[in-house]
């Protein structure tokens, strides 16, 4: 089978296609024959050696989200049928024709669903849903969504509206991305590549401030967003796209005025199978009902992983970039 690996940290060009033996599933694992592989921004940071959650030492293949068919079962795996069509987060070696997944991470793919869209039933949809839940959105809240055109962000815009947000302000770094977020239901948009983006947010709220910020960008975007929170406002940090391994720090002075800041990771739910299963069911229903629309920006052959990473590093994608074996 083919697998894309990097043998040193570096730019997209370090990704290379190799031939490898089929992986054998261990205890609690299954093997999937991949249909589509969702490229995560975390995978880019792994390849660069700057992902804050863990450090994948070369040689390695980035993690991602895979839609595929169950091809083999490891020991002690029950309740999973050979040939079942599923989606799953894959923590390593995901850019391949065949991948290993934990049986507990599998999400059933609805009949007829596009394979590339189905990759978002896994970590993008579940993270987006849990981040919105962590924010405790109240009916009518004004919600600022950073990276609103990304693989997770474009879902968060839609989920926030479903959870009762009154006004969703989408933040992104280009007119095309802002237009895209508005088409998905955002009520207003700001370009956070502009130095005055925070002033624009204040204007949009009439000086009142923001009730909720959902932040996957990090760096100074986080600290400037905290300053936008009104009393009892909440910021949920869930990614460091701009900060890499350097996570933002928050002082007591910055959260004065009854501002709440939390850091969400899916690792917090690891082992809580009931919560993970409920999250997967809820997001799948949002998609099946048409209330949330996963958007695929482009599909590229597995052998074009370099181009996929280049596209995402240039921050040009609207929705998800997918590799197809």
């Amino acid at each position: 089978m083919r697998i894309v690996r990097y043998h040193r940290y570096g730019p997209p060009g370090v990704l290379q296609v190799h031939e490898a033996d089929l992986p054998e599933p261990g205890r609690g694992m299954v093997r999937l024959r991949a249909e589509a592989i969702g490229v995560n921004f975390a995978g880019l940071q792994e390849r660069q050696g700057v992902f804050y959650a863990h450090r994948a030492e070369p040689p390695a293949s980035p993690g991602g989200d895979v839609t595929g068919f169950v091809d083999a079962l490891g020991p002690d795996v029950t309740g999973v049928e050979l040939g079942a069509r599923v989606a799953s987060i894959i923590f390593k070696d995901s850019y391949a024709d065949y991948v290993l997944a934990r049986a507990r991470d599998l999400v059933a793919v609805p009949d007829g669903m596009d394979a590339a869209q189905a990759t978002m039933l896994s970590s993008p949809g579940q993270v987006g849903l849990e981040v919105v839940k962590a924010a405790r959105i109240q009916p009518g809240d004004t919600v600022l969504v950073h990276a609103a055109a990304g693989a997770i962000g474009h879902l968060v815009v839609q989920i926030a509206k479903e959870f009762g947000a009154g006004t969703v302000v989408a933040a992104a770094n280009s007119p095309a991305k802002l237009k895209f977020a508005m088409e998905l239901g955002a009520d207003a948009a700001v370009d956070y590549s502009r130095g005055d983006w925070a002033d624009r947010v204040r204007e949009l709220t009439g000086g009142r401030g923001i009730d909720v910020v959902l932040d996957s960008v990090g760096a100074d975007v986080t600290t400037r967003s905290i300053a936008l929170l009104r009393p009892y406002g909440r910021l949920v940090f869930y990614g460091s796209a701009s900060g890499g391994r350097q996570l933002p720090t928050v002082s007591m002075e910055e959260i004065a005025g009854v501002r709440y800041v939390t850091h969400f990771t899916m690792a917090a739910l690891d082992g809580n199978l009931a919560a993970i299963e409920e999250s997967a069911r809820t997001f799948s229903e949002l998609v099946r009902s048409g209330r949330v629309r996963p958007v695929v920006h482009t599909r590229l052959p597995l052998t074009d992983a370099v181009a996929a990473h280049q596209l995402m590093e240039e921050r040009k994608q609207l929705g998800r970039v997918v590799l197809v074996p």
Side-chain angles (χ1 to χ4, degrees), residues 1-3 22-23 30-38 64-72 84-88 90 93-101 115-116 119 300 302 322-325:
M1 71 163 199
R2 298 167 302 171
I3 186 170
L22 286 180
V30 304
R31 185 172 68 210
L32 305 181
R33 175 172 58 82
E35 266 192 289
I37 303 154
D65 297 285
V66 173
T67 302
F69 297 92
V70 177
D71 174 74
R85 189 170 185 241
V86 297
S88 181
I90 307 295
D93 298 342
S94 77
Y95 293 13
D97 291 309
Y98 291 84
V99 302
L100 297 181
T119 64
L300 296 170
L302 175 63
V322 174
L323 297 173
V324 180

Side-chain angles (χ1 to χ4, degrees), residues 38-122:
V39 180
N40 292 336
F41 197 83
L44 276 67
Q45 293 184 314
E46 288 171 348
R47 186 252 305 153
Q48 296 165 335
V50 298
F51 184 43
Y52 75 92
H54 65 260
R55 191 173 179 87
E57 298 291 341
S61 176
D65 297 285
V66 173
T67 302
F69 297 92
V70 177
D71 174 74
L73 306 177
D76 296 337
V77 172
T78 60
V80 179
E81 295 184 1
L82 288 172
R85 189 170 185 241
V86 297
S88 181
I89 176 67
I90 307 295
F91 293 98
K92 64 176 183 177
D93 298 342
S94 77
Y95 293 13
D97 291 309
Y98 291 84
V99 302
L100 297 181
R102 299 189 302 190
R104 69 187 193 186
D105 294 328
L106 303 181
V107 179
V109 175
D111 291 341
M113 188 172 186
D114 174 75
Q117 283 187 313
T119 64
M120 287 177 268
L121 296 175
S122 184

Side-chain angles (χ1 to χ4, degrees), residues 32 113 122 124 170 172 239-240 255 285 320:
L32 305 181
M113 188 172 186
S122 184
S240 185
I255 60 174
E285 177 55 32
R320 167 149 264 198

Side-chain angles (χ1 to χ4, degrees), residues 148-162:
I152 299 177
H154 86 284
L155 302 174
V156 169
V157 167
Q158 300 174 74
I159 296 169
K161 295 293 284 189
E162 283 296 315

Side-chain angles (χ1 to χ4, degrees), residues 126-194:
Q126 293 180 44
V127 169
L129 179 64
E130 292 298 328
V131 163
V132 171
K133 288 165 61 176
R136 301 290 194 266
I137 291 175
Q138 302 299 309
D141 275 352
T142 299
V143 180
L144 174 62
V145 179
H146 287 301
I152 299 177
H154 86 284
L155 302 174
V156 169
V157 167
Q158 300 174 74
I159 296 169
K161 295 293 284 189
E162 283 296 315
F163 272 63
T167 301
V168 170
V169 180
N173 63 356
S174 75
K177 289 185 174 184
L178 299 178
K179 180 176 181 289
F180 172 67
M182 295 284 286
E183 290 171 348
L184 291 175
D187 302 286
V190 295
D191 185 342
Y192 60 45
S193 68
R194 294 171 53 97

Side-chain angles (χ1 to χ4, degrees), residues 14 17 36 54 67 91 107 169 178 195-196 220 222 233 243 257 264 292:
V14 300
V17 181
H54 65 260
T67 302
F91 293 98
V107 179
V169 180
L178 299 178
D196 63 350
D220 69 335
T222 301
F264 174 82
V292 171

